[in-house]
Amino acid sequence: METISALVGRRHEDSRETQLISGNGEFNQTGLKDFIKSVKFHNRNVSYAIVAIMGPQSSGKSTLLNHLFHTKFKEMDTDNERGQTTNGIWIAKALDMEPFTMVVDLEGTDSGERGEDDTSFEKQSALFALAVAHVVLINIWCHDIGREHAANMPLLKTIFEVMLRLFSRRRTTLLFVIRDKTKSPIHILKSALMKDVEKIWNSVPKTEEFPGSHISHFFNVEVIALPHYELQEDQFKDQVAQLRKKFYNSISHGGLAGDRMDVVPASAFSLSVQKIWETIKQNKDLDLPAQKVMVANIRCEEIAKDKLSLFASDKAWLDIQDAAKTKIVLGFGADISSILRNRLLEYDSETKYFEEGVRNEKRKYLESEATRVVHPAYMKTLSHLRSEALRMFESGLQTHLSSGGGFAESVRICMDSCVLDFDRRCKDAAIEQAKWDADALTVREELRHDIRTQTLLVRTEKLPHVEEQSREWVSTMLNKQLKTLFEMGGEDKDIKWADVRSILNRESDAVAKKLSSALVAFELDQPLVQQMLQDIKRYATNLVVTRFKEEAHNVQKLITHRFIIALQKKDTKKRAERKEYYDSAYRKCLKLLSTMAVIRLDETYDHVENVIFSALMDAKGGVHAQHPLASDKWEEVPSDITLITPAECKDIWDQFELFMQSCLSQSKEAEEKFKKSNHWSVPTWVAVGLVALGVAGFIILLRVSNTDLALLVAALSKLGLIIGACLPCIEEVLKELKKAFNEFYNFVKDLFA
């Protein structure tokens, strides 16, 4: 149990009186904050009452407060002459009372120290008391009631005037305390006092906001009377004790302060009274509702910033923020929402007694600033989700394609799946207090763009494979058929460009159909499909052109081979018939040469054949300046479809005839050898060997340059002489083949006749 001395010490400390406003009007901000902290007032919310007292100087105000609330205000020393005891405005805590009650002691009015003309502080302090207090005690001498110029009448007028300046019907309780009560009954005193009060009220000019208003609109008026403190001390103390009971539960309904309005929360009390006094000192109209809004703005913003600071330094949030930089944080949205929710609940709890509009506005500010702090981590999380969804798409697409799924269908399935998963995980990452749907939608569109880009890359990888397959297929088919065509053309069947066009069109259409079917799975735009089909047909055309260009380099071999084949198919004895047949063989060779000279995929340029025939078949002799084949280009034939120029055609034909003349020369030399010796005969195998040797010579001739042609002919000539010199040694063996050799000789002789 506490000792009496400890209790007295505690009570003295709890009721420590502090000067709130000095006599010259200076507000003691530091002293008030220290006082509030020492009496633990800041955590009372709105569970408190403010009681102020005003009255003439030396009317016993401080004495009444000390007995009524157990405070320690300085009292007048009766041993000294009367004078100003309370200077300025003082504040103290009422002891042993619920609710928490703050007591304000005002400097007395009508003081000699200030003089008759210095009434500004009286009015300022009266306005301050009415603006701050819920209950105002007004000390009145009993003998002043009913007197026209009593000391308290100017005070009452001041009270009423300033009350109308508050612009608020606060229903403040005015408790008139009649001091040094006489023998007159209390109801008579009260009636007389109320008449004086109403008379003064009616004399006060009303503002436009409150025309014709009654005093009861602004005040709850009560009247009590106390005996003389010095002459009837015991009675005085007993009645003060009874009055004290009226201040218990004063803020409850029906209590002395039960009609209080616009209560400022305890945490803003210091700020509120400071702003009120500053406004009063500046001689401005004191608009309490506006004042309340101002205080709410300042205080709610302070609380919001405090909660924001606590959130920004919260360890749980900092851990999430750090982790979100490098990975997806599971429970990101729920955890941050919970942390924010707790801070907002704290804000709501501390600001619930402030003006609602201001409170909500600052709450939005707190939410906005807190979510702004979170936003980078949220966007980083969305970025991680986007990257993860894209990886999911890439993996899923490869799996579907590997299992044989169509490209477009696989893309659609994988895209729908990964976007749906992204949406679900975005919802999990969403912050309850933030409206970031637009951000999520933006990142969602970025993901879809990523998917489209990746789809294009994969398609770009896949389409060349499809195109390559088509090229391989058409290349195989065209090369196979063109090879057959060239083989037949090198023998006895003409190469017709109509056949080439037919093959090209047939195979181009076939490969285009195959490619079109393969492209269906890609669901490409029709213009792109048409472009690819045109490309494959163009490829087929280029392949045919390239193949003919290759064969054009071997045209001499082709015409030589065709000439020999053409002659071998006809066995004739008569010279006239042989001559006609030789001419036919020549024409077949020229036909092949003219066919290979120019690309004719569009059924034009047939005049080339006429020029070749007229120049080489119908005219014999050397080339002169005006020769039809002296030019390096065909008339009206573009260079890109020219395979063999006119001059090249003439060179090829000259080499062909030179080779034939060489063979004829060898044949004549062999004939001379044959005539000189009729003792031997040529066996069949030798004849066959000579023919084979001649064919081999043809092939070699095609592979050597013009400068080596003479050496080649000389070598073949010597080889023939050697064979002829060796024949007599084997006369007996060769007799049986004499007839065959004679036939071969006549054949070659007629060939070059």
Side-chain angles (χ1 to χ4, degrees):
M1 180 180 294
E2 286 186 302
T3 63
I4 295 177
S5 60
L7 181 60
V8 172
R10 177 181 63 80
R11 290 180 60 179
H12 178 73
E13 179 65 24
D14 288 347
S15 64
R16 182 178 61 181
E17 292 73 32
T18 299
Q19 188 178 44
L20 182 60
I21 299 171
S22 68
N24 58 8
E26 295 295 328
F27 189 88
N28 186 9
Q29 182 180 4
T30 303
L32 178 60
K33 288 183 177 180
D34 292 342
F35 169 78
I36 288 175
K37 183 177 180 181
S38 67
V39 298
K40 299 179 177 57
F41 176 56
H42 58 278
N43 60 357
R44 301 295 297 189
N45 288 326
V46 293
S47 298
Y48 70 92
I50 306 295
V51 179
I53 189 168
M54 61 178 67
Q57 177 179 294
S58 303
S59 60
K61 300 188 303 300
S62 300
T63 301
L64 175 59
L65 293 180
N66 290 339
H67 283 82
L68 188 58
F69 299 109
H70 299 170
T71 54
K72 298 291 184 179
F73 290 115
K74 181 180 179 182
E75 299 179 11
M76 181 183 66
D77 186 356
T78 56
D79 293 335
N80 297 320
E81 62 181 47
R82 290 180 178 270
Q84 190 178 51
T85 304
T86 302
N87 178 258
I89 300 175
W90 291 70
I91 190 170
K93 174 191 174 185
L95 297 182
D96 304 324
M97 181 173 288
E98 280 294 334
F100 189 103
T101 302
M102 300 275 277
V103 183
V104 179
D105 189 9
L106 273 65
E107 177 183 309
T109 62
D110 194 24
S111 65
E113 285 78 4
R114 291 191 179 272
E116 294 182 2
D117 298 328
D118 188 8
T119 59
S120 59
F121 187 80
E122 291 183 9
K123 292 182 179 180
Q124 291 173 350
S125 60
L127 181 56
F128 179 79
L130 289 171
V132 171
H134 307 123
V135 180
V136 178
L137 301 177
I138 301 177
N139 240 16
I140 294 180
W141 296 113
C142 183
H143 57 261
D144 282 337
I145 296 175
R147 293 171 59 189
E148 183 70 23
H149 300 288
N152 283 304
M153 295 305 104
L155 174 61
L156 283 177
K157 188 173 182 179
T158 298
I159 290 174
F160 295 152
E161 287 176 347
V162 299
M163 189 64 186
L164 291 172
R165 293 174 58 192
L166 295 179
F167 293 101
S168 175
R169 297 184 181 182
R170 302 186 64 229
R171 296 283 293 173
T172 303
T173 297
L174 292 182
L175 180 56
F176 287 91
V177 182
I178 301 174
R179 301 296 297 273
D180 298 350
K181 176 182 173 296
T182 62
K183 294 182 179 180
S184 299
I186 184 62
H187 65 277
I188 295 177
L189 295 174
K190 181 175 181 180
S191 176
L193 178 60
M194 290 306 300
K195 287 180 181 180
D196 291 341
V197 169
E198 290 179 1
K199 182 179 179 181
I200 296 171
W201 175 260
N202 293 331
S203 68
V204 174
K206 309 300 188 296
T207 62
E208 293 181 359
E209 288 81 2
F210 311 111
S213 58
H214 192 267
I215 189 174
S216 60
H217 294 162
F218 295 88
F219 299 105
N220 293 320
V221 181
E222 294 196 19
V223 180
I224 64 167
L226 296 177
H228 198 289
Y229 173 63
E230 295 179 356
L231 300 179
Q232 299 170 294
E233 184 177 356
D234 292 339
Q235 294 179 15
F236 176 86
K237 291 181 178 179
D238 288 342
Q239 291 192 30
V240 168
Q242 293 298 316
L243 177 60
R244 177 181 170 84
K245 293 178 181 179
K246 299 188 68 167
F247 286 92
Y248 284 102
N249 302 318
S250 61
I251 63 175
S252 301
H253 182 68
L256 283 176
D259 291 334
R260 64 184 185 148
M261 300 171 62
D262 300 332
V263 182
V264 176
S267 62
F269 178 79
S270 175
L271 174 65
S272 177
V273 296
Q274 181 182 357
K275 294 299 180 181
I276 288 174
W277 182 249
E278 288 177 359
T279 303
I280 293 172
K281 281 281 289 181
Q282 294 170 5
N283 198 28
K284 296 180 180 179
D285 289 341
L286 183 58
D287 187 347
L288 286 184
Q291 196 80 16
K292 179 186 176 185
V293 170
M294 178 193 66
V295 171
N297 265 300
I298 296 173
R299 186 60 189 138
C300 288
E301 184 169 334
E302 289 177 349
I303 296 172
K305 289 182 177 179
D306 178 60
K307 300 310 171 187
L308 180 62
S309 176
L310 290 174
F311 169 76
S313 60
D314 189 285
K315 185 178 184 306
W317 149 245
L318 293 175
D319 290 344
I320 294 174
Q321 182 187 41
D322 187 59
K325 294 177 181 178
T326 57
K327 64 181 181 180
I328 298 173
V329 179
L330 297 178
F332 178 88
D335 291 345
I336 293 181
S337 295
S338 177
I339 298 171
L340 282 173
R341 191 183 308 115
N342 290 336
R343 295 304 174 191
L344 289 170
L345 287 174
E346 292 173 0
Y347 171 86
D348 291 339
S349 176
E350 295 183 28
T351 61
K352 65 181 178 179
Y353 296 110
F354 288 102
E355 201 274 332
E356 182 179 7
V358 175
R359 182 175 74 240
N360 292 339
E361 179 185 349
K362 298 305 177 181
R363 191 183 197 277
K364 291 179 181 178
Y365 162 80
L366 173 57
E367 280 186 342
S368 174
E369 290 300 302
T371 52
R372 185 180 62 82
V373 173
V374 173
H375 190 258
Y378 173 76
M379 294 303 296
K380 196 68 177 178
T381 296
L382 291 187
S383 178
H384 293 323
L385 294 179
R386 169 185 167 190
S387 299
E388 182 65 23
L390 183 60
R391 285 193 292 271
M392 174 182 171
F393 170 79
E394 294 172 351
S395 175
L397 181 60
Q398 292 300 328
T399 301
H400 276 77
L401 294 177
S402 299
S403 62
F407 183 82
E409 180 183 7
S410 298
V411 168
R412 187 161 46 251
I413 292 173
C414 295
M415 175 183 284
D416 291 345
S417 176
C418 76
V419 171
L420 184 64
D421 182 71
F422 174 81
D423 290 341
R424 178 185 60 79
R425 300 181 78 172
C426 278
K427 187 176 180 180
D428 292 340
I431 308 300
E432 175 186 323
Q433 296 80 10
K435 305 300 180 185
W436 291 335
D437 293 343
D439 289 333
L441 288 175
T442 298
V443 177
R444 187 179 191 266
E445 285 306 309
E446 291 173 352
L447 170 61
R448 296 182 72 89
H449 179 269
D450 292 343
I451 291 174
R452 286 191 291 267
T453 301
Q454 183 62 28
T455 298
L456 184 60
L457 290 175
V458 176
R459 191 179 74 180
T460 303
E461 293 176 359
K462 299 293 182 183
L463 282 179
H465 178 67
V466 175
E467 291 180 297
E468 184 61 27
Q469 286 182 323
S470 300
R471 291 192 187 100
E472 290 177 358
W473 185 85
V474 73
S475 177
T476 300
M477 298 304 297
L478 283 176
N479 283 330
K480 180 179 179 181
Q481 296 189 53
L482 290 176
K483 179 181 179 182
T484 301
L485 191 67
F486 287 127
E487 288 176 351
M488 294 176 65
E491 296 190 4
D492 197 32
K493 186 175 181 181
D494 290 337
I495 297 176
K496 297 179 180 180
W497 277 103
D499 294 339
V500 175
R501 289 191 293 269
S502 177
I503 293 172
L504 176 60
N505 292 335
R506 182 175 63 252
E507 298 305 329
S508 295
D509 291 342
V511 72
K513 186 175 181 180
K514 278 179 168 290
L515 179 59
S516 181
S517 298
L519 295 179
V520 169
F522 289 87
E523 295 185 358
L524 301 175
D525 294 336
Q526 195 59 30
L528 179 58
V529 173
Q530 292 301 320
Q531 181 63 46
M532 295 180 69
L533 295 179
Q534 291 175 8
D535 289 344
I536 194 64
K537 288 187 176 183
R538 189 179 299 110
Y539 174 81
T541 300
N542 292 336
L543 192 147
V544 170
V545 172
T546 301
R547 189 73 176 84
F548 266 86
K549 287 181 178 179
E550 293 173 354
E551 290 299 327
H553 293 296
N554 298 324
V555 68
Q556 191 162 7
K557 174 183 176 182
L558 289 175
I559 62 176
T560 302
H561 183 261
R562 185 172 196 187
F563 186 82
I564 295 173
I565 295 300
L567 294 181
Q568 286 180 340
K569 289 185 178 181
K570 185 68 176 179
D571 183 12
T572 179
K573 301 293 185 179
K574 297 179 180 180
R575 175 176 293 274
E577 293 178 356
R578 290 198 299 270
K579 180 68 170 63
E580 181 181 349
Y581 193 64
Y582 296 156
D583 288 345
S584 175
Y586 270 107
R587 289 184 178 278
K588 288 181 179 292
C589 291
L590 284 176
K591 177 69 174 178
L592 179 59
L593 179 61
S594 66
T595 299
M596 298 296 296
V598 177
I599 300 293
R600 296 180 178 85
L601 292 179
D602 55 357
E603 304 183 27
T604 56
Y605 313 118
D606 288 336
H607 66 279
V608 172
E609 182 177 335
N610 296 332
V611 174
I612 290 177
F613 268 82
S614 64
L616 300 178
M617 189 69 189
D618 301 335
K620 301 293 184 177
V623 178
H624 52 81
Q626 300 300 321
H627 194 282
L629 299 181
S631 175
D632 60 353
K633 64 178 181 178
W634 299 103
E635 185 178 354
E636 298 181 355
V637 177
S639 60
D640 59 335
I641 63 170
T642 298
L643 300 179
I644 308 173
T645 65
E648 289 173 341
C649 287
K650 185 64 175 65
D651 290 341
I652 292 171
W653 191 256
D654 288 346
Q655 291 182 32
F656 171 73
E657 287 192 324
L658 179 63
F659 178 73
M660 292 303 149
Q661 293 298 328
S662 176
C663 290
L664 179 60
S665 176
Q666 293 293 325
S667 175
K668 288 182 178 181
E669 188 175 347
E671 181 181 7
E672 294 297 327
K673 293 290 183 180
F674 177 75
K675 289 181 178 180
K676 290 180 180 180
S677 176
N678 54 3
H679 301 289
W680 55 276
S681 60
V682 180
T684 303
W685 67 268
V686 174
V688 173
L690 289 173
V691 173
L693 182 63
V695 173
F698 296 158
I699 296 172
I700 293 172
L701 179 63
L702 298 176
R703 298 181 179 179
V704 300
S705 62
N706 293 336
T707 57
D708 295 332
L709 184 59
L711 295 175
L712 177 62
V713 172
L716 291 174
S717 178
K718 291 181 180 180
L719 182 61
L721 292 174
I722 293 172
I723 294 175
C726 294
L727 289 178
C729 301
I730 54 174
E731 181 178 356
E732 296 298 328
V733 179
L734 300 178
K735 284 181 180 180
E736 297 180 359
L737 299 178
K738 182 177 180 180
K739 183 179 179 179
F741 178 78
N742 289 334
E743 292 178 352
F744 176 75
Y745 172 76
N746 291 330
F747 171 79
V748 174
K749 183 178 179 181
D750 293 339
L751 176 64
F752 297 102

